[in-house]
Amino acid sequence: MNAAVRAVVRTALFNELDVYAIRQGYKGLISGNLKKVDSSDVSNTIQRGGTILKSARCEQFRTPEGREIAVQKLRDNGIDALVVIGGDGSFQGATLLGKEHGVNVIGVPATIDNDLVGTDETIGYDTALNTATEAIDKIRDTADAHDRLFLVEVMGRDAGFIALETGIAGGAELILLPESLTNLSEIKSSLTRVLEEHQRSSLVIIAEGDETGGALKLSEELKPDFGKYDMRVCILGHVQRGGNPTARDRVLASRLGSAAVTVLIEGHSEVMVGVVNNKIKLTPLKMTFGKKKDINYELVELAKTLR
Amino acid sequence: MNAAVRAVVRTALFNELDVYAIRQGYKGLISGNLKKVDSSDVSNTIQRGGTILKSARCEQFRTPEGREIAVQKLRDNGIDALVVIGGDGSFQGATLLGKEHGVNVIGVPATIDNDLVGTDETIGYDTALNTATEAIDKIRDTADAHDRLFLVEVMGRDAGFIALETGIAGGAELILLPESLTNLSEIKSSLTRVLEEHQRSSLVIIAEGDETGGALKLSEELKPDFGKYDMRVCILGHVQRGGNPTARDRVLASRLGSAAVTVLIEGHSEVMVGVVNNKIKLTPLKMTFGKKKDINYELVELAKTLR
Amino acid sequence: MNAAVRAVVRTALFNELDVYAIRQGYKGLISGNLKKVDSSDVSNTIQRGGTILKSARCEQFRTPEGREIAVQKLRDNGIDALVVIGGDGSFQGATLLGKEHGVNVIGVPATIDNDLVGTDETIGYDTALNTATEAIDKIRDTADAHDRLFLVEVMGRDAGFIALETGIAGGAELILLPESLTNLSEIKSSLTRVLEEHQRSSLVIIAEGDETGGALKLSEELKPDFGKYDMRVCILGHVQRGGNPTARDRVLASRLGSAAVTVLIEGHSEVMVGVVNNKIKLTPLKMTFGKKKDINYELVELAKTLR
Amino acid sequence: MNAAVRAVVRTALFNELDVYAIRQGYKGLISGNLKKVDSSDVSNTIQRGGTILKSARCEQFRTPEGREIAVQKLRDNGIDALVVIGGDGSFQGATLLGKEHGVNVIGVPATIDNDLVGTDETIGYDTALNTATEAIDKIRDTADAHDRLFLVEVMGRDAGFIALETGIAGGAELILLPESLTNLSEIKSSLTRVLEEHQRSSLVIIAEGDETGGALKLSEELKPDFGKYDMRVCILGHVQRGGNPTARDRVLASRLGSAAVTVLIEGHSEVMVGVVNNKIKLTPLKMTFGKKKDINYELVELAKTLR
């Protein structure tokens, strides 16, 4: 996300605009936690995980009164446009600022789950994918005995993008996604096939939002039948949210952050900038709410062919 | 590349075809270094750098007599189709096998430089990009004194893909590509701007094929004017060719390897499978020779805006 | 562990001895899964995680009859000495072979938990430490909001070495070890101090063998009082057992593997080779059973000073 | 190094002392670039590469007048002791402050080359070692053809610690150190043995300070005889100075930084804190000048046995 902030700042300065950085999101906006920045404030930040702007939840911004204060702070500082980096929750807030007060707002998609419509990929996704894949590689190194069964839970409350691509990249024997129903007897027969017929250890990837209820719950349900195997659970959790961003994530964030400023200058508002088929594409912010991008079902089939 | 081999093997077996692995490329084919493989031969290989099939140069295959022997080996083993993973050199050989002897051949694009036409990305490119970017991140950590000038040479004999995207991802002050001419006085004035006006250290990325002649040559030419700075050269070389592949590279390789078998079954030959706009696309092998994919000039401009 | 195998093989060959590799430990020995190896069999293995010899549990070896078969296999192949790489369980088996059948046996300490007496460090420990620390670094990147509470469970069933050093290296606010009793009210008051007085997020490292019962159990016990915080659990599990070994682990393994052969040649048996104060030291195998190396209590105090 | 700064700050605060951070070393001291710090100023820094205090060269401090100004700044701020983190150059400056003005000074050893006497290991060494080793691992992945010859230059102007341990950890066929003379004909015969008899690719590690003159110079001298091989040069350079520090480096830095404050409180001055045989040890600063710690010759022999 720092790469996106840097691109917004430097593209604005390149176009001789003043730029302010607001820390802690809408909460910081309401409390006036903002300052004018120049080029060197974003030097040496592109490689950092997390975000230099920090993040925070803000209940107050959900009320018209809260947003009134927010707009006043923008006006006090002579700010007439806002670039919001985040997911559909942040975009809903931005849309209200636009609708209620005429603030120009542009959304930049940054969610780990990659389920936003209007962009092929969101900022943070490729990094999370690689982090999860590296963890699975390390587990593979110990999968040399054929009586082991690994259950690895990755992020994805509503969407299986990380689980699906990590599962393919990690060569998982079974991938459990929120998007597809898998009943326990299917899971058991798949595992039996690998563990007994192929005499291999078995690695199952589970999205946290899968209907089985996650890795721990599944391990308990498998215990009666698979108790003779050495069953191990790994829950990666927030490890997937940090780490130095991948090259691809930084280039994507640089493109989107820069495009956000360019389209503002061109007069757009209440749109999200995305990359579709390697080109910048605009999508009205309101079209991003409540929708979910579909996973690639071709990859679901590929995973079954290759396992 | 192992992910592609694995995908070819498992997709063939899924379709109840026999598969053989040929080690050391055309050299191994001529010498009969091939064996029938099953699913477990490619277990636990997807995370490995390099290639389990090893590679080798082969002069003999460039002669009609060499190819005659190669085809005979295929026939002796009842093999009627060949999947070739590599660049345009390998594809030329494959085309000759097809033309001269009617062997069905499919190309899978795997070159680090990413300059093959017919696919948005080649296998190995994303991994090389991340390796180079990580190296630059480490250099950045020491760029805290403002009198330092780093010259980092990355791969790319004819194409600047790695240099360009690494330069953006690493926040380089200057990126020197084979595709664009930069004269020495422009380079000097860019560096002066960063080092003296901005009082920052400066990082220059140079593709090995840039017309300046590489990092060492450039450092010598800069010495007279920039001798007061602490100038350091880093040549990454083959470091960029190895390392565990990224998730994206493995998913791409899995898709392409699997598609190679599918299109063979469908009756295609003398084509390369690629991914364009996230969909599998076929390109006649002969159209990949001697051509070069263009770099994205939008990114060249972006780099200038953000530096 | 591959570095140790490589060192045993190459040191034996250097001394003109024949060497055999036994796969799957004692199970492989009983079933005759062994073969003569030469120098190139261990080429290109030093950087690999896991073990090329694979591992397996073996109940049969615990019986005198099982060990009788094992010794017969050694004699059939003209093998008169055995280097056993592992922990105190493996060393007990080795000792019985020595006592009952006069086989020369040398132990090489390789356990992730680092709790073997007779060596400052065991093979695999430094790698596990770095893997756990890298995971915590990634979590830190997201610890920018001050209302977050992370509970990270690391390996260590009986020993807190990994938890202690990871906790210091990761700057954890609280470290829970099997070696020290921490009651729930102390834990709560430590967390309150960080979260409320310092207004920081808080990261707790828990050894899996801590008396609190691990990260999940602790999270449930904290919920009543800390429900207003965003509490997250991460269980690293077997991720810590794999991955490319660190330089330090490889140098240690090379030294110990080579020393194992040297001391065999010198006539020793039923000893473990270790490194104490940077020098090779021998310890009778039987002294390693059932004992546990103490953690460094100076580091426990350091952690409290620095948090 | 950030871990050492953090440990100094927190240990001082733990002992109810005021602490100031001086940026840019002696240059910052002379220019008054210092500020009082509290515990949260060093939060979230332990995992970072480089140094938050930045570094700079300072000619002025080498003069009595410069040091006079420096001491005045210390007195103006009520500072009566100085912890200096660096190598023997920095320690010489510190000693002069002590001798000439009675300032209490403690040295903390942080040099990448690891050649300081008085400590088994210096801060930064383990990280550099792992960075170089990872680079070599990646090169190994491409070393599958037997006609390749890699020359990798690592840091070490006067000392071969990095080259020696990296060479063992990376399984190099030849290691060239400043400490040992190797003539060109020995180098050639070693390479011939590996490339021709063993039919393997060959990897040579060269310390930058080796008398051969580094990787590029050596490659030119080898060209006449080894021209038929595919010879590649890699110069890692400053890549080795950055990157997130290893767990071991952070624990070492935490121990040394904390000990520096403890020994100051105990009344020591003009000493360096080191770790010898896993215990804190004090060495008079003046004994660290101009001396060089010996490499471990046992490891030199080990490298020859294992290659």
Side-chain angles (χ1 to χ4, degrees):
Chain A
M1 240 154 94
N2 293 326
V5 173
R6 175 178 175 270
V8 169
V9 170
R10 295 215 167 153
T11 304
L13 295 172
F14 187 85
N15 287 287
E16 301 182 348
L17 300 171
D18 286 342
V19 212
Y20 290 77
I22 303 169
R23 288 167 66 116
Q24 298 196 295
Y26 294 127
K27 184 177 171 188
L29 176 54
I30 287 174
S31 65
N33 191 353
L34 47 78
K35 75 170 185 116
K36 203 171 160 179
V37 288
D38 67 19
S39 180
S40 66
D41 288 314
V42 291
S43 284
N44 241 352
T45 63
I46 197 171
Q47 78 277 23
R48 295 255 186 85
T51 161
I52 51 169
L53 296 184
K54 297 184 185 293
S55 59
R57 289 179 292 183
C58 183
E59 289 304 315
Q60 200 183 351
F61 191 77
R62 300 193 181 186
T63 65
E65 296 74 23
R67 292 192 294 272
E68 188 73 49
I69 301 171
V71 167
Q72 203 49 55
K73 297 281 176 182
L74 291 175
R75 295 206 174 120
D76 292 350
N77 289 280
I79 298 170
D80 45 31
L82 196 66
V83 175
V84 174
I85 306 171
D88 60 351
S90 310
F91 294 169
Q92 286 187 38
T95 306
L96 290 171
L97 276 193
K99 289 267 166 297
E100 295 171 359
H101 302 280
V103 178
N104 295 314
V105 289
I106 303 289
V108 175
T111 74
I112 257 180
D113 291 349
N114 196 31
D115 58 351
L116 270 172
V117 294
T119 192
D120 285 346
E121 216 162 302
T122 51
I123 300 170
Y125 174 64
D126 192 55
T127 302
L129 203 54
N130 277 287
T131 300
T133 301
E134 282 164 25
I136 288 161
D137 287 352
K138 294 187 185 200
I139 291 173
R140 268 216 173 282
D141 282 341
T142 69
D144 53 355
H146 59 70
D147 55 357
R148 283 191 184 155
L149 177 50
F150 296 100
L151 308 178
V152 182
E153 184 177 312
V154 298
M155 282 199 160
R157 239 173 255 246
D158 305 305
F161 287 90
I162 293 181
L164 177 55
E165 292 211 57
T166 296
I168 291 175
E173 273 73 26
L174 198 59
I175 305 171
L176 302 178
L177 309 170
E179 286 87 350
S180 65
L181 286 171
T182 318
N183 65 42
L184 196 60
S185 72
E186 281 176 82
I187 293 173
K188 285 179 182 174
S189 66
S190 282
L191 294 179
T192 302
R193 189 179 65 96
V194 173
L195 288 160
E196 297 191 1
E197 288 170 40
H198 291 202
Q199 295 273 309
R200 292 207 300 255
S201 65
S202 188
L203 201 150
V204 182
I205 306 289
I206 311 162
E208 61 181 329
D210 185 65
E211 73 282 354
T212 49
L216 267 169
K217 190 124 182 287
L218 180 61
S219 82
E220 275 154 33
E221 287 179 3
L222 290 176
K223 235 168 238 170
D225 289 347
F226 291 83
K228 64 178 163 170
Y229 296 102
D230 188 9
M231 187 156 39
R232 305 288 179 144
V233 166
C234 169
I235 298 175
L236 285 174
H238 266 52
V239 173
Q240 296 159 88
R241 288 198 177 273
N244 291 7
T246 60
R248 177 176 179 72
D249 249 340
R250 297 185 205 180
V251 172
L252 175 69
S254 297
R255 291 179 74 181
L256 293 177
S258 190
V261 175
T262 308
V263 303
L264 262 179
I265 293 172
E266 291 168 1
H268 293 278
S269 183
E270 293 175 43
V271 294
M272 182 190 89
V273 289
V275 168
V276 173
N277 289 343
N278 206 24
K279 289 196 169 44
I280 295 292
K281 194 192 155 184
L282 302 184
T283 302
L285 280 182
K286 66 181 177 202
M287 287 188 57
T288 67
F289 309 157
K291 275 197 199 169
K292 259 190 56 178
K293 190 168 61 183
D294 263 349
I295 53 169
N296 184 341
Y297 287 96
E298 182 216 324
L299 292 185
V300 176
E301 290 312 307
L302 181 63
K304 287 181 189 160
T305 304
L306 300 187
R307 76 188 172 195
Chain B
M1 244 157 88
N2 294 327
V5 173
R6 175 178 175 271
V8 169
V9 170
R10 293 215 170 154
T11 304
L13 295 172
F14 188 84
N15 287 287
E16 300 183 347
L17 299 171
D18 285 343
V19 211
Y20 290 77
I22 303 169
R23 288 166 67 116
Q24 300 196 291
Y26 294 127
K27 185 178 172 187
L29 177 54
I30 287 175
S31 66
N33 191 353
L34 47 77
K35 74 170 185 115
K36 203 170 161 181
V37 288
D38 67 21
S39 180
S40 66
D41 287 313
V42 291
S43 284
N44 243 353
T45 63
I46 197 170
Q47 78 277 21
R48 296 256 185 86
T51 160
I52 50 169
L53 295 184
K54 300 183 183 292
S55 60
R57 290 180 292 185
C58 183
E59 290 304 315
Q60 199 184 352
F61 191 77
R62 301 192 181 186
T63 64
E65 296 73 25
R67 293 192 293 273
E68 187 74 47
I69 300 172
V71 167
Q72 202 50 52
K73 296 282 176 182
L74 292 175
R75 295 207 174 120
D76 292 351
N77 289 280
I79 298 170
D80 45 31
L82 195 66
V83 175
V84 174
I85 306 172
D88 59 352
S90 309
F91 294 170
Q92 287 186 38
T95 306
L96 290 171
L97 277 193
K99 288 269 168 293
E100 295 172 357
H101 302 280
V103 178
N104 295 313
V105 289
I106 303 288
V108 174
T111 76
I112 256 180
D113 291 349
N114 197 31
D115 58 351
L116 269 173
V117 295
T119 191
D120 286 345
E121 216 162 300
T122 51
I123 300 170
Y125 174 64
D126 192 56
T127 302
L129 202 54
N130 277 288
T131 299
T133 301
E134 282 164 26
I136 287 160
D137 287 352
K138 294 188 185 198
I139 290 174
R140 272 220 168 278
D141 283 340
T142 70
D144 52 356
H146 59 70
D147 55 356
R148 284 194 183 151
L149 177 50
F150 296 99
L151 308 177
V152 182
E153 182 177 313
V154 299
M155 282 199 160
R157 239 172 254 245
D158 305 305
F161 286 91
I162 292 180
L164 177 56
E165 293 212 55
T166 296
I168 292 174
E173 274 73 26
L174 198 60
I175 305 171
L176 302 177
L177 309 171
E179 285 86 352
S180 65
L181 285 172
T182 317
N183 66 43
L184 197 61
S185 70
E186 281 177 83
I187 294 173
K188 286 179 182 173
S189 65
S190 282
L191 294 180
T192 302
R193 190 178 65 95
V194 172
L195 288 161
E196 297 188 3
E197 289 171 38
H198 290 203
Q199 295 272 309
R200 290 207 302 255
S201 65
S202 189
L203 200 149
V204 182
I205 305 289
I206 310 161
E208 62 182 328
D210 184 63
E211 72 283 355
T212 48
L216 268 169
K217 192 124 180 287
L218 181 61
S219 82
E220 275 155 33
E221 288 180 359
L222 291 175
K223 237 170 236 170
D225 290 347
F226 292 84
K228 63 177 164 172
Y229 296 102
D230 187 9
M231 189 156 37
R232 305 288 180 144
V233 166
C234 168
I235 297 175
L236 285 174
H238 266 53
V239 173
Q240 296 159 86
R241 287 197 178 273
N244 291 7
T246 60
R248 177 175 178 72
D249 249 340
R250 297 185 206 180
V251 172
L252 175 69
S254 298
R255 290 178 75 181
L256 292 178
S258 189
V261 175
T262 308
V263 302
L264 263 180
I265 293 173
E266 290 169 0
H268 293 278
S269 183
E270 292 175 43
V271 294
M272 182 189 88
V273 289
V275 168
V276 174
N277 290 344
N278 207 23
K279 289 197 170 43
I280 295 292
K281 194 192 154 183
L282 302 185
T283 301
L285 280 183
K286 65 182 177 202
M287 289 189 55
T288 67
F289 308 157
K291 277 199 200 167
K292 259 189 56 178
K293 190 167 61 183
D294 264 349
I295 53 169
N296 184 341
Y297 286 97
E298 182 215 324
L299 293 185
V300 175
E301 291 312 307
L302 181 63
K304 286 179 189 160
T305 305
L306 300 186
R307 75 190 172 189
Chain C
M1 242 156 91
N2 293 327
V5 173
R6 175 178 175 270
V8 169
V9 170
R10 294 215 168 154
T11 305
L13 295 172
F14 188 84
N15 287 286
E16 301 182 347
L17 300 171
D18 287 342
V19 211
Y20 290 77
I22 303 169
R23 289 167 66 117
Q24 299 196 293
Y26 294 128
K27 184 177 172 188
L29 177 54
I30 286 174
S31 65
N33 190 354
L34 48 77
K35 76 173 183 111
K36 202 171 162 179
V37 289
D38 67 21
S39 180
S40 66
D41 288 313
V42 291
S43 285
N44 242 353
T45 63
I46 197 170
Q47 78 275 24
R48 296 257 186 83
T51 161
I52 50 169
L53 295 184
K54 298 183 183 294
S55 60
R57 290 180 291 185
C58 183
E59 289 305 316
Q60 199 183 350
F61 190 78
R62 301 193 181 185
T63 64
E65 296 74 23
R67 292 191 294 272
E68 186 74 48
I69 300 172
V71 167
Q72 201 50 54
K73 296 281 176 183
L74 291 175
R75 294 204 175 124
D76 291 351
N77 288 279
I79 299 170
D80 46 31
L82 195 66
V83 175
V84 174
I85 306 172
D88 60 352
S90 309
F91 295 169
Q92 287 187 38
T95 306
L96 290 171
L97 277 194
K99 289 268 167 298
E100 295 171 358
H101 302 280
V103 178
N104 295 314
V105 290
I106 304 288
V108 174
T111 77
I112 258 181
D113 292 349
N114 197 31
D115 58 350
L116 269 172
V117 295
T119 191
D120 286 345
E121 216 161 302
T122 52
I123 300 170
Y125 174 64
D126 192 56
T127 302
L129 202 55
N130 277 288
T131 299
T133 301
E134 282 165 26
I136 287 160
D137 287 351
K138 295 187 185 200
I139 290 174
R140 272 221 167 277
D141 282 340
T142 70
D144 52 357
H146 58 70
D147 55 356
R148 283 194 184 150
L149 177 49
F150 296 99
L151 309 177
V152 182
E153 182 177 314
V154 299
M155 282 198 161
R157 238 173 256 247
D158 306 305
F161 287 90
I162 292 180
L164 177 55
E165 292 212 57
T166 296
I168 292 174
E173 274 73 27
L174 198 60
I175 304 171
L176 303 177
L177 309 171
E179 284 87 350
S180 64
L181 284 173
T182 318
N183 65 43
L184 197 60
S185 71
E186 281 177 82
I187 293 172
K188 286 179 182 173
S189 66
S190 282
L191 294 179
T192 301
R193 189 179 66 96
V194 173
L195 288 161
E196 297 189 1
E197 288 170 40
H198 291 203
Q199 295 273 309
R200 291 208 300 255
S201 66
S202 188
L203 201 151
V204 182
I205 306 289
I206 310 161
E208 62 182 329
D210 185 65
E211 72 283 354
T212 49
L216 268 168
K217 191 124 181 285
L218 181 61
S219 82
E220 274 155 32
E221 287 179 2
L222 291 175
K223 236 169 238 169
D225 290 347
F226 292 83
K228 63 177 164 170
Y229 296 102
D230 187 9
M231 188 156 37
R232 306 287 180 144
V233 167
C234 169
I235 299 175
L236 284 174
H238 266 52
V239 173
Q240 297 159 87
R241 287 197 178 272
N244 291 8
T246 60
R248 178 176 177 72
D249 249 340
R250 298 185 206 180
V251 172
L252 176 69
S254 297
R255 291 178 75 180
L256 293 178
S258 189
V261 175
T262 309
V263 303
L264 262 180
I265 293 172
E266 291 168 2
H268 293 278
S269 183
E270 292 176 42
V271 294
M272 183 190 88
V273 289
V275 168
V276 173
N277 290 344
N278 206 24
K279 289 195 170 45
I280 295 291
K281 193 190 156 184
L282 302 185
T283 302
L285 280 182
K286 67 182 176 203
M287 288 189 56
T288 68
F289 309 157
K291 277 198 199 169
K292 259 189 55 178
K293 190 167 60 183
D294 263 349
I295 54 170
N296 184 340
Y297 286 96
E298 181 216 324
L299 293 185
V300 176
E301 290 312 307
L302 181 63
K304 286 180 189 159
T305 304
L306 301 186
R307 76 185 171 194
Chain D
M1 242 156 90
N2 293 328
V5 174
R6 174 179 176 270
V8 169
V9 170
R10 295 215 167 152
T11 304
L13 296 172
F14 188 85
N15 287 288
E16 300 182 347
L17 300 171
D18 287 342
V19 210
Y20 290 77
I22 303 169
R23 288 167 66 117
Q24 299 196 293
Y26 294 127
K27 184 178 172 187
L29 177 53
I30 286 174
S31 64
N33 191 354
L34 47 76
K35 75 172 184 108
K36 201 169 162 181
V37 288
D38 67 20
S39 179
S40 66
D41 288 311
V42 291
S43 285
N44 242 353
T45 63
I46 198 170
Q47 78 277 22
R48 296 255 187 86
T51 160
I52 51 170
L53 295 184
K54 298 183 184 293
S55 60
R57 289 179 293 184
C58 182
E59 289 305 315
Q60 199 183 352
F61 190 78
R62 301 193 181 188
T63 66
E65 296 74 22
R67 291 192 293 273
E68 186 74 47
I69 301 172
V71 167
Q72 202 50 54
K73 297 281 176 183
L74 291 175
R75 295 209 173 118
D76 292 350
N77 288 280
I79 299 170
D80 44 31
L82 194 66
V83 175
V84 174
I85 306 173
D88 59 353
S90 310
F91 294 169
Q92 287 186 39
T95 306
L96 290 170
L97 277 193
K99 289 268 167 295
E100 295 171 358
H101 302 280
V103 179
N104 295 314
V105 290
I106 303 289
V108 174
T111 76
I112 256 180
D113 291 348
N114 197 31
D115 57 351
L116 270 172
V117 295
T119 191
D120 285 345
E121 215 161 303
T122 51
I123 300 170
Y125 174 64
D126 192 55
T127 302
L129 202 55
N130 277 287
T131 300
T133 301
E134 282 164 25
I136 288 160
D137 287 352
K138 294 187 186 199
I139 290 173
R140 270 216 171 279
D141 283 340
T142 70
D144 52 357
H146 58 70
D147 54 358
R148 285 194 181 149
L149 176 50
F150 296 99
L151 308 178
V152 182
E153 183 177 312
V154 298
M155 283 199 159
R157 240 172 254 247
D158 305 305
F161 287 91
I162 292 181
L164 177 56
E165 292 212 59
T166 296
I168 292 174
E173 273 74 26
L174 198 60
I175 305 171
L176 302 177
L177 309 171
E179 285 87 352
S180 65
L181 286 172
T182 318
N183 65 43
L184 197 61
S185 71
E186 280 177 83
I187 294 174
K188 285 179 183 173
S189 66
S190 282
L191 294 180
T192 302
R193 188 178 65 96
V194 173
L195 289 160
E196 297 188 3
E197 288 170 42
H198 291 203
Q199 295 273 308
R200 291 206 300 255
S201 65
S202 187
L203 201 149
V204 182
I205 306 289
I206 311 161
E208 61 181 330
D210 185 64
E211 72 282 354
T212 49
L216 268 169
K217 190 122 182 287
L218 180 61
S219 81
E220 275 156 33
E221 288 180 0
L222 290 176
K223 236 169 238 168
D225 290 347
F226 291 83
K228 64 177 164 171
Y229 296 102
D230 187 9
M231 187 156 39
R232 306 287 180 144
V233 167
C234 169
I235 299 175
L236 285 174
H238 266 52
V239 173
Q240 296 159 87
R241 287 198 177 274
N244 291 7
T246 59
R248 177 176 178 72
D249 249 339
R250 298 186 204 179
V251 172
L252 176 69
S254 298
R255 291 177 75 181
L256 293 178
S258 190
V261 175
T262 308
V263 302
L264 264 178
I265 293 172
E266 291 168 1
H268 293 278
S269 183
E270 293 175 42
V271 294
M272 183 189 89
V273 288
V275 167
V276 174
N277 289 343
N278 206 24
K279 289 197 168 46
I280 296 292
K281 193 191 154 181
L282 302 183
T283 302
L285 280 182
K286 64 181 177 202
M287 288 189 56
T288 68
F289 309 157
K291 277 197 200 168
K292 259 188 56 179
K293 190 167 60 183
D294 264 349
I295 53 169
N296 184 340
Y297 287 96
E298 182 216 323
L299 292 185
V300 175
E301 290 311 307
L302 181 63
K304 287 180 189 161
T305 305
L306 300 187
R307 76 189 172 193

